PDB file of all heavy atoms in Angstrom:
ATOM      1  N   GLN A   8      57.238  37.177 -33.324  1.00  0.00           N
ATOM      2  CA  GLN A   8      58.227  37.601 -34.273  1.00  0.00           C
ATOM      3  C   GLN A   8      57.616  37.547 -35.650  1.00  0.00           C
ATOM      4  O   GLN A   8      56.805  36.702 -35.992  1.00  0.00           O
ATOM      5  CB  GLN A   8      59.469  36.698 -34.236  1.00  0.00           C
ATOM      6  CG  GLN A   8      60.211  36.823 -32.901  1.00  0.00           C
ATOM      7  CD  GLN A   8      61.436  35.876 -32.873  1.00  0.00           C
ATOM      8  OE1 GLN A   8      61.791  35.327 -33.861  1.00  0.00           O
ATOM      9  NE2 GLN A   8      62.031  35.788 -31.697  1.00  0.00           N
ATOM     10  N   LYS A  10      58.628  37.516 -39.774  1.00  0.00           N
ATOM     11  CA  LYS A  10      59.681  37.371 -40.785  1.00  0.00           C
ATOM     12  C   LYS A  10      59.049  37.804 -42.110  1.00  0.00           C
ATOM     13  O   LYS A  10      58.150  37.125 -42.593  1.00  0.00           O
ATOM     14  CB  LYS A  10      60.248  35.988 -40.851  1.00  0.00           C
ATOM     15  CG  LYS A  10      61.413  35.916 -41.827  1.00  0.00           C
ATOM     16  CD  LYS A  10      62.125  34.572 -41.722  1.00  0.00           C
ATOM     17  CE  LYS A  10      63.325  34.512 -42.627  1.00  0.00           C
ATOM     18  NZ  LYS A  10      63.979  33.171 -42.658  1.00  0.00           N
ATOM     19  N   ASN A  14      63.379  39.077 -45.625  1.00  0.00           N
ATOM     20  CA  ASN A  14      64.211  38.523 -44.606  1.00  0.00           C
ATOM     21  C   ASN A  14      64.580  39.457 -43.502  1.00  0.00           C
ATOM     22  O   ASN A  14      65.540  39.290 -42.774  1.00  0.00           O
ATOM     23  CB  ASN A  14      65.572  37.912 -45.189  1.00  0.00           C
ATOM     24  CG  ASN A  14      65.311  36.676 -45.995  1.00  0.00           C
ATOM     25  OD1 ASN A  14      64.442  35.883 -45.688  1.00  0.00           O
ATOM     26  ND2 ASN A  14      66.019  36.583 -47.134  1.00  0.00           N
ATOM     27  N   GLN A  15      63.752  40.513 -43.271  1.00  0.00           N
ATOM     28  CA  GLN A  15      63.927  41.388 -42.142  1.00  0.00           C
ATOM     29  C   GLN A  15      63.117  40.766 -40.981  1.00  0.00           C
ATOM     30  O   GLN A  15      61.896  40.577 -41.114  1.00  0.00           O
ATOM     31  CB  GLN A  15      63.416  42.781 -42.389  1.00  0.00           C
ATOM     32  CG  GLN A  15      64.206  43.453 -43.472  1.00  0.00           C
ATOM     33  CD  GLN A  15      64.037  44.944 -43.430  1.00  0.00           C
ATOM     34  OE1 GLN A  15      64.070  45.553 -42.346  1.00  0.00           O
ATOM     35  NE2 GLN A  15      63.816  45.554 -44.579  1.00  0.00           N
ATOM     36  N   LEU A  16      63.800  40.389 -39.897  1.00  0.00           N
ATOM     37  CA  LEU A  16      63.188  39.722 -38.788  1.00  0.00           C
ATOM     38  C   LEU A  16      63.009  40.609 -37.628  1.00  0.00           C
ATOM     39  O   LEU A  16      63.996  41.298 -37.168  1.00  0.00           O
ATOM     40  CB  LEU A  16      63.947  38.532 -38.375  1.00  0.00           C
ATOM     41  CG  LEU A  16      63.402  37.549 -37.303  1.00  0.00           C
ATOM     42  CD1 LEU A  16      62.116  36.936 -37.851  1.00  0.00           C
ATOM     43  CD2 LEU A  16      64.389  36.459 -36.990  1.00  0.00           C
ATOM     44  N   LEU A  17      61.824  40.811 -37.069  1.00  0.00           N
ATOM     45  CA  LEU A  17      61.506  41.769 -36.074  1.00  0.00           C
ATOM     46  C   LEU A  17      60.729  41.096 -34.921  1.00  0.00           C
ATOM     47  O   LEU A  17      59.933  40.256 -35.125  1.00  0.00           O
ATOM     48  CB  LEU A  17      60.639  42.973 -36.598  1.00  0.00           C
ATOM     49  CG  LEU A  17      61.207  43.840 -37.696  1.00  0.00           C
ATOM     50  CD1 LEU A  17      60.149  44.793 -38.165  1.00  0.00           C
ATOM     51  CD2 LEU A  17      62.408  44.618 -37.205  1.00  0.00           C
ATOM     52  N   SER A  18      60.992  41.614 -33.658  1.00  0.00           N
ATOM     53  CA  SER A  18      60.203  41.281 -32.533  1.00  0.00           C
ATOM     54  C   SER A  18      59.088  42.296 -32.516  1.00  0.00           C
ATOM     55  O   SER A  18      59.349  43.502 -32.389  1.00  0.00           O
ATOM     56  CB  SER A  18      61.072  41.375 -31.275  1.00  0.00           C
ATOM     57  OG  SER A  18      60.184  41.240 -30.154  1.00  0.00           O
ATOM     58  N   GLY A  36      61.609  45.349 -32.362  1.00  0.00           N
ATOM     59  CA  GLY A  36      63.033  45.416 -32.241  1.00  0.00           C
ATOM     60  C   GLY A  36      63.636  44.336 -33.074  1.00  0.00           C
ATOM     61  O   GLY A  36      62.955  43.317 -33.411  1.00  0.00           O
ATOM     62  N   ASP A  37      64.931  44.510 -33.381  1.00  0.00           N
ATOM     63  CA  ASP A  37      65.646  43.490 -34.112  1.00  0.00           C
ATOM     64  C   ASP A  37      65.778  42.264 -33.212  1.00  0.00           C
ATOM     65  O   ASP A  37      65.856  42.353 -32.001  1.00  0.00           O
ATOM     66  CB  ASP A  37      66.968  43.955 -34.558  1.00  0.00           C
ATOM     67  CG  ASP A  37      66.843  45.002 -35.644  1.00  0.00           C
ATOM     68  OD1 ASP A  37      65.962  44.914 -36.434  1.00  0.00           O
ATOM     69  OD2 ASP A  37      67.649  45.977 -35.628  1.00  0.00           O
ATOM     70  N   VAL A  38      65.913  41.102 -33.900  1.00  0.00           N
ATOM     71  CA  VAL A  38      66.032  39.851 -33.103  1.00  0.00           C
ATOM     72  C   VAL A  38      67.287  39.065 -33.638  1.00  0.00           C
ATOM     73  O   VAL A  38      68.034  39.604 -34.488  1.00  0.00           O
ATOM     74  CB  VAL A  38      64.805  38.917 -33.144  1.00  0.00           C
ATOM     75  CG1 VAL A  38      63.654  39.615 -32.552  1.00  0.00           C
ATOM     76  CG2 VAL A  38      64.537  38.549 -34.626  1.00  0.00           C
ATOM     77  N   THR A  39      67.523  37.862 -33.158  1.00  0.00           N
ATOM     78  CA  THR A  39      68.714  37.134 -33.481  1.00  0.00           C
ATOM     79  C   THR A  39      68.714  36.728 -34.937  1.00  0.00           C
ATOM     80  O   THR A  39      67.822  36.194 -35.504  1.00  0.00           O
ATOM     81  CB  THR A  39      68.783  35.856 -32.616  1.00  0.00           C
ATOM     82  OG1 THR A  39      68.804  36.191 -31.269  1.00  0.00           O
ATOM     83  CG2 THR A  39      70.071  35.093 -32.963  1.00  0.00           C
ATOM     84  N   LEU A  40      69.874  37.065 -35.624  1.00  0.00           N
ATOM     85  CA  LEU A  40      70.102  36.666 -36.986  1.00  0.00           C
ATOM     86  C   LEU A  40      71.444  35.916 -37.049  1.00  0.00           C
ATOM     87  O   LEU A  40      72.446  36.535 -36.754  1.00  0.00           O
ATOM     88  CB  LEU A  40      70.165  37.902 -37.903  1.00  0.00           C
ATOM     89  CG  LEU A  40      68.852  38.745 -38.014  1.00  0.00           C
ATOM     90  CD1 LEU A  40      69.089  40.022 -38.837  1.00  0.00           C
ATOM     91  CD2 LEU A  40      67.830  37.937 -38.689  1.00  0.00           C
ATOM     92  N   GLY A  41      71.359  34.634 -37.323  1.00  0.00           N
ATOM     93  CA  GLY A  41      72.588  33.893 -37.265  1.00  0.00           C
ATOM     94  C   GLY A  41      73.034  33.807 -35.818  1.00  0.00           C
ATOM     95  O   GLY A  41      72.273  33.428 -34.917  1.00  0.00           O
ATOM     96  N   ASN A  42      74.285  34.143 -35.555  1.00  0.00           N
ATOM     97  CA  ASN A  42      74.895  34.110 -34.257  1.00  0.00           C
ATOM     98  C   ASN A  42      74.902  35.520 -33.561  1.00  0.00           C
ATOM     99  O   ASN A  42      75.466  35.669 -32.483  1.00  0.00           O
ATOM    100  CB  ASN A  42      76.308  33.542 -34.287  1.00  0.00           C
ATOM    101  CG  ASN A  42      76.329  32.084 -34.721  1.00  0.00           C
ATOM    102  OD1 ASN A  42      75.397  31.344 -34.318  1.00  0.00           O
ATOM    103  ND2 ASN A  42      77.301  31.720 -35.507  1.00  0.00           N
ATOM    104  N   VAL A  43      74.312  36.463 -34.234  1.00  0.00           N
ATOM    105  CA  VAL A  43      74.335  37.888 -33.702  1.00  0.00           C
ATOM    106  C   VAL A  43      72.925  38.243 -33.165  1.00  0.00           C
ATOM    107  O   VAL A  43      71.952  38.134 -33.857  1.00  0.00           O
ATOM    108  CB  VAL A  43      74.747  38.847 -34.817  1.00  0.00           C
ATOM    109  CG1 VAL A  43      74.765  40.266 -34.313  1.00  0.00           C
ATOM    110  CG2 VAL A  43      76.124  38.454 -35.409  1.00  0.00           C
ATOM    111  N   THR A  44      72.875  38.642 -31.876  1.00  0.00           N
ATOM    112  CA  THR A  44      71.673  39.101 -31.282  1.00  0.00           C
ATOM    113  C   THR A  44      71.509  40.586 -31.369  1.00  0.00           C
ATOM    114  O   THR A  44      72.403  41.291 -30.876  1.00  0.00           O
ATOM    115  CB  THR A  44      71.579  38.619 -29.818  1.00  0.00           C
ATOM    116  OG1 THR A  44      71.664  37.191 -29.790  1.00  0.00           O
ATOM    117  CG2 THR A  44      70.290  39.063 -29.208  1.00  0.00           C
ATOM    118  N   LYS A  45      70.450  40.964 -32.071  1.00  0.00           N
ATOM    119  CA  LYS A  45      70.210  42.432 -32.193  1.00  0.00           C
ATOM    120  C   LYS A  45      69.367  42.927 -30.978  1.00  0.00           C
ATOM    121  O   LYS A  45      68.870  42.046 -30.236  1.00  0.00           O
ATOM    122  CB  LYS A  45      69.450  42.719 -33.466  1.00  0.00           C
ATOM    123  CG  LYS A  45      70.245  42.219 -34.706  1.00  0.00           C
ATOM    124  CD  LYS A  45      71.240  43.248 -35.193  1.00  0.00           C
ATOM    125  CE  LYS A  45      71.806  42.781 -36.524  1.00  0.00           C
ATOM    126  NZ  LYS A  45      72.598  43.846 -37.143  1.00  0.00           N
ATOM    127  N   ASN A  46      69.107  44.222 -30.938  1.00  0.00           N
ATOM    128  CA  ASN A  46      68.356  44.790 -29.803  1.00  0.00           C
ATOM    129  C   ASN A  46      66.852  44.441 -29.995  1.00  0.00           C
ATOM    130  O   ASN A  46      66.250  44.712 -31.055  1.00  0.00           O
ATOM    131  CB  ASN A  46      68.503  46.273 -29.861  1.00  0.00           C
ATOM    132  CG  ASN A  46      67.954  46.961 -28.653  1.00  0.00           C
ATOM    133  OD1 ASN A  46      67.019  46.523 -28.019  1.00  0.00           O
ATOM    134  ND2 ASN A  46      68.598  48.121 -28.286  1.00  0.00           N
ATOM    135  N   ARG A  47      66.289  43.854 -28.910  1.00  0.00           N
ATOM    136  CA  ARG A  47      64.850  43.507 -28.936  1.00  0.00           C
ATOM    137  C   ARG A  47      63.983  44.630 -28.457  1.00  0.00           C
ATOM    138  O   ARG A  47      62.703  44.517 -28.516  1.00  0.00           O
ATOM    139  CB  ARG A  47      64.608  42.231 -28.044  1.00  0.00           C
ATOM    140  CG  ARG A  47      64.980  40.942 -28.716  1.00  0.00           C
ATOM    141  CD  ARG A  47      64.669  39.803 -27.823  1.00  0.00           C
ATOM    142  NE  ARG A  47      64.899  38.510 -28.457  1.00  0.00           N
ATOM    143  CZ  ARG A  47      63.966  37.862 -29.102  1.00  0.00           C
ATOM    144  NH1 ARG A  47      62.737  38.349 -29.189  1.00  0.00           N
ATOM    145  NH2 ARG A  47      64.209  36.743 -29.697  1.00  0.00           N
TER     146      ARG A  47
END
Side-chain angles (χ1 to χ4, degrees):
Q8 296 179 8
K10 186 174 183 180
N14 291 322
Q15 296 199 45
L16 189 61
L17 298 174
S18 171
D37 292 323
V38 297
T39 302
L40 295 173
N42 296 322
V43 180
T44 300
K45 303 273 186 168
N46 193 329
R47 281 181 173 268

